[in-house]
Amino acid sequence: MNIAFSPCPNDTFVFHAWAHGLVPGAPELHVTYADIDVTNGLAARGEGPEVLKISYAALPWVLDRYHLLPCGGALGRGCGPLVLTADPATASRGPSVLSGKKVAVPSERSTAYLLFRLWAAKHVPGGIGEVVVMPFHHIMPAVQKGEIDAGLVIHEARFTYPSYGLTMLADMGAWWEEDTGLPIPLGAIIARKDLDPVQVAGSVRASVEYAWANPQASRAYVLEHAQEMSPQVADAHIGLYVNEFTGSLGEQGYGAVRALLTRAAEEGLVPAVEPGSLEHPGFS
């Protein structure tokens, strides 16, 4: 079976067991490591592998071909995208400083950008000037060099942005949690509809459970793909993004996804999602 997910520590930690043949009865995996903007595009064009990690914000465009799996993804609290600037004085003036400015985002269909658009509509008078899509690991250097006015960052940037001399202007996750009381839906695992989604979900969940039971087993694999990240940052990344919702979305997780997509559809930012299209009757 073919799968595409990011080289980030949370994904390699979650899928280590399945990728290394440690999940009994699961098909052999052929892994493609790709940035979330790439996997979002593959899924939208129907050109992706059977299983992918994509942004929850990209779901409305792919639910005709893929099932959302109830496990393996990234959803939680205190883990949302950040808006960063290079000038502390600018950041201290608040969100209005972004009016008419140039901002980099990691993907046009990322959850980060969707949250940012919902937030900016309420907090940035006159709107953002220009939005530029960049691979997430290019954004902080571009802000540091003054190539852009601000950057929307994800993943381990939450831990590393001070080393670039950057300042947080706003936390999209904190805003979402305060506004809704719900966790933040970030990355989803989807499986093509010609597969048995219950079987695939079972393999994903078994891989997650193996990772939790054997946390050191994946360490070399995680660090191999961690893009020169320190072991301490990789551990913090896993601790934040791999949580109860990775094992099972549950009622609260599905509620958060529905809330995000419903609000975005009401604002005309994504296609409306049919009621019940997120859940599969065979999932527990």
Side-chain angles (χ1 to χ4, degrees):
M1 184 176 292
N2 298 297
I3 188 169
F5 53 80
S6 83
C8 293
N10 61 309
D11 286 347
T12 50
F13 179 79
V14 163
F15 288 103
H16 163 263
W18 190 1
H20 289 80
L22 300 174
V23 176
E28 180 182 357
L29 274 190
H30 300 279
V31 180
T32 297
Y33 303 98
D35 183 80
I36 197 73
D37 190 43
V38 174
T39 57
N40 285 346
L42 288 172
R45 296 190 299 271
E47 299 172 356
E50 295 97 314
V51 183
L52 299 101
K53 168 81 170 286
I54 68 166
S55 301
Y56 272 108
L59 272 179
W61 285 275
V62 306
L63 284 172
D64 59 332
R65 296 184 298 278
Y66 294 91
H67 288 293
L68 168 64
L69 299 188
C71 51
L75 188 150
R77 297 184 182 277
C79 60
L82 307 178
V83 181
L84 305 177
T85 70
D87 182 4
T90 296
S92 68
R93 289 159 52 199
S96 63
V97 301
L98 295 179
S99 297
K101 300 299 185 181
K102 186 176 182 179
V103 180
V105 303
S107 171
E108 288 186 332
R109 288 188 178 175
S110 65
T111 307
Y113 184 39
L114 184 57
L115 286 169
F116 178 70
R117 293 175 77 185
L118 292 170
W119 171 83
K122 293 186 175 184
H123 295 90
V124 182
I128 306 300
E130 181 183 359
V131 170
V132 181
V133 176
M134 290 184 182
F136 79 90
H137 57 283
H138 290 173
I139 292 177
M140 287 194 294
V143 178
Q144 184 184 48
K145 295 172 185 175
E147 296 170 357
I148 51 178
D149 297 302
L152 180 68
V153 300
I154 55 177
H155 301 324
E156 69 278 359
R158 172 172 283 275
F159 310 109
T160 60
Y161 76 85
S163 67
Y164 288 82
L166 304 181
T167 300
M168 182 178 70
L169 189 151
D171 184 329
M172 300 295 94
W175 167 74
W176 172 259
E177 291 181 60
E178 290 167 6
D179 203 54
T180 67
L182 294 167
I184 311 133
L186 298 170
I189 306 299
I190 58 173
R192 219 167 54 194
K193 284 191 172 181
D194 58 353
L195 303 176
D196 178 352
V198 178
Q199 182 182 48
V200 178
S203 296
V204 175
R205 183 169 284 132
S207 193
V208 173
E209 291 172 350
Y210 184 97
W212 280 334
N214 305 276
Q216 293 303 311
S218 63
R219 192 154 183 82
Y221 178 61
V222 167
L223 294 177
E224 175 190 353
H225 295 282
Q227 299 181 345
E228 302 182 2
M229 197 184 305
S230 73
Q232 293 77 18
V233 171
D235 289 344
H237 185 116
I238 292 167
L240 185 61
Y241 294 105
V242 182
N243 53 47
E244 61 180 296
F245 299 109
T246 312
S248 178
L249 279 173
E251 183 178 344
Q252 193 175 54
Y254 278 114
V257 178
R258 284 193 294 269
L260 175 68
L261 299 185
T262 298
R263 183 177 292 197
E266 289 172 350
E267 296 293 329
L269 303 179
V270 304
V273 172
E274 290 295 322
S277 63
L278 297 175
E279 298 92 339
H280 186 279
F283 293 151
S284 59

